Amino acid sequence: MLGIDHAEIGALIGKRWNFSPRMIKLIQHHHLRDESMMTDKEVAAVYLADCTCMMMGIGVGADGLSYRFKDQLMKIHGISHSDITGLMAEFGVNMHEVKILLNMD
């Protein structure tokens, strides 16, 4: 409707709210549309976290299952698909334990 996506509008809001240039860059590039950002470790970490959350159904819309990790990014940073799978499994166990502690289960 606005002609820009939430990453772009988030960066504009960040500028307006005087976020640091680094934070604005992370917001603006968290979908990694500019592949030159692949070597930036912080941008890569935010991108991977975003994809992982979407794949786990956290903050997901109808397109959640269509997310994939960029293989080149994973090679650059030495991350394997089994690393991500392990992280997702560990998160699930930890969330279960949190729910038990909060009597939510």
Side-chain angles (χ1 to χ4, degrees), residues 3-62:
I4 60 176
D5 68 9
H6 72 264
E8 294 173 273
I9 203 160
L12 291 172
I13 291 168
K15 287 177 188 173
R16 177 93 180 202
W17 290 353
N18 295 316
F19 284 14
S20 71
R22 186 71 183 142
M23 182 60 73
I24 293 167
K25 182 179 181 180
L26 292 172
I27 294 167
Q28 185 174 13
H29 295 287
H30 78 272
H31 286 297
L32 212 58
R33 287 193 184 92
D34 178 355
E35 294 195 358
S36 71
M37 294 285 125
M38 278 193 199
T39 57
D40 184 305
K41 288 183 180 184
E42 290 174 335
V43 170
V46 174
Y47 164 80
L48 289 170
D50 184 46
C51 285
T52 301
C53 287
M54 293 294 167
M55 293 174 83
M56 293 177 67
I58 300 168
V60 67

Side-chain angles (χ1 to χ4, degrees), residues 83-95:
D83 292 334
I84 299 295
T85 303
L87 179 75
M88 292 165 109
E90 185 178 342
F91 177 82
V93 169
N94 290 339
M95 279 308 297

Side-chain angles (χ1 to χ4, degrees), residues 64-99:
L65 297 177
S66 68
Y67 279 74
R68 288 188 218 164
F69 299 109
K70 295 184 184 282
D71 288 332
Q72 182 183 359
L73 175 132
M74 294 181 70
K75 285 179 189 173
I76 289 170
H77 296 285
I79 300 167
S80 71
H81 288 282
S82 62
D83 292 334
I84 299 295
T85 303
L87 179 75
M88 292 165 109
E90 185 178 342
F91 177 82
V93 169
N94 290 339
M95 279 308 297
H96 178 70
E97 291 176 8
V98 167
K99 286 179 180 180

